[in-house]
Amino acid sequence: MDAKQRVGLKAAEYVKDGMIVGLGTGSTATWFVREVARRIREEKITVTGVSSSLACSLLAKAEGIPLVPPDQIDSVDLYVDGADEVDPDKGMIKGRGAAMVGEKLLAEACASFIIIADESKIVPRLGAKFPVPVEVMPSASRLVARGIEALGGKPTLRMAAGGKDGPVVSDNGNLILDATFGPDPDWRALDAALNALPGVVGHGLFLRYGAKSTLLVGSATGVRVVI
Ligand code: 5RP
């Protein structure tokens, strides 16, 4: 069993009968979603899923997990998702899969957040490996790019690979600017500044959820729990 599978299966143990569960996006969260589906089938637990993305919805439907749309819920009991980077305060960069707007909706709404990651995701400081993805209205992309530069960042329009020409288009019909910032920027200030740029729909800095988060770190041999 590889680290992503191990940690995804472990997270599914936290799901209790009757819960509304936020379902994350990505290769690690996929293991979690599949295991929740198995528990519904074999252990007969009742779970209502709330999806973080189109990719997640397709997977959850194929696996037979009942879904409720985010606009029909007031809160989420438990949200489980992966991350691109996790720092010692459980701050994260998310959005490699361009799903960070739907993901942040669930991070905000949930009572508890379980972050599932392999060791490669654990970093001393954010920005070590991944840019910060910023979802922008197409009409605003040029002006937001200038705004990111004014904040000290270098934005790059994310291009689609393989099955589509041109840029990545998010589930919400928007574009993604991947922004790198200099060494050790003030991430909290950047979080607020990016939110304040007109045309920004959301971004992949998740800095406000550490207090309600449990981090599960998977390795080849086991799962480390960081409360
Ligand atoms: C998608 C995400 C994912 O949760 C993150 O990229 C981790 O993905 P993976 O588990 O495939 O490494 O934020 O937008």
Side-chain angles (χ1 to χ4, degrees):
M1 201 186 289
D2 85 352
K4 290 187 177 193
Q5 179 177 8
R6 195 182 295 279
V7 81
L9 299 195
K10 181 73 186 171
E13 293 176 13
Y14 289 74
V15 174
K16 305 287 178 240
D17 191 45
M19 275 185 168
I20 297 179
V21 178
L23 306 173
T25 300
S27 56
T28 319
T30 291
W31 288 111
F32 168 74
V33 172
R34 289 195 177 135
E35 179 63 4
V36 170
R38 187 200 63 76
R39 292 195 57 204
I40 292 170
R41 278 193 312 271
E42 296 179 12
E43 299 175 20
K44 309 294 179 205
I45 61 168
T46 301
V47 171
T48 304
V50 190
S51 167
S52 56
S53 68
L54 180 56
C56 172
S57 297
L58 292 171
L59 172 67
K61 282 178 194 163
E63 291 285 334
I65 299 179
L67 291 179
V68 63
D71 67 351
Q72 285 180 27
I73 50 145
D74 295 309
S75 61
V76 169
D77 296 311
L78 177 71
Y79 172 40
V80 177
D81 203 352
D84 300 315
E85 294 185 354
V86 188
D87 76 7
D89 297 322
K90 303 192 195 91
M92 291 176 276
I93 291 180
K94 287 181 54 55
R96 175 206 49 77
M100 62 280 178
V101 169
E103 293 172 337
K104 201 175 274 186
L105 209 57
L106 298 181
E108 196 70 41
C110 71
S112 303
F113 190 166
I114 296 184
I115 305 163
I116 48 178
D118 59 74
E119 292 285 359
S120 72
K121 308 291 183 62
I122 310 304
V123 295
R125 276 183 297 277
L126 295 179
K129 300 175 183 170
F130 276 83
V132 177
V134 182
E135 180 165 333
V136 296
M137 292 162 49
S139 61
S141 61
R142 191 178 172 93
L143 287 173
V144 170
R146 297 296 86 78
I148 289 172
E149 285 165 359
L151 294 170
K154 287 201 180 104
T156 307
L157 181 64
R158 190 183 294 185
M159 302 305 284
K164 179 186 177 297
D165 291 339
V168 167
V169 178
S170 75
D171 292 352
N172 313 302
N174 296 311
L175 303 179
I176 308 294
L177 294 171
D178 286 310
T180 53
F181 294 89
D184 216 10
D186 181 342
W187 288 116
R188 285 192 175 269
L190 276 173
D191 178 11
L194 289 171
N195 283 332
L197 287 176
V200 168
V201 180
H203 61 74
L205 281 174
F206 284 53
L207 305 182
R208 304 187 324 120
Y209 311 112
K212 64 177 173 182
S213 296
T214 300
L215 169 62
L216 305 184
V217 186
S219 67
T221 51
V223 174
R224 183 162 55 90
V225 180
V226 184
I227 296 171

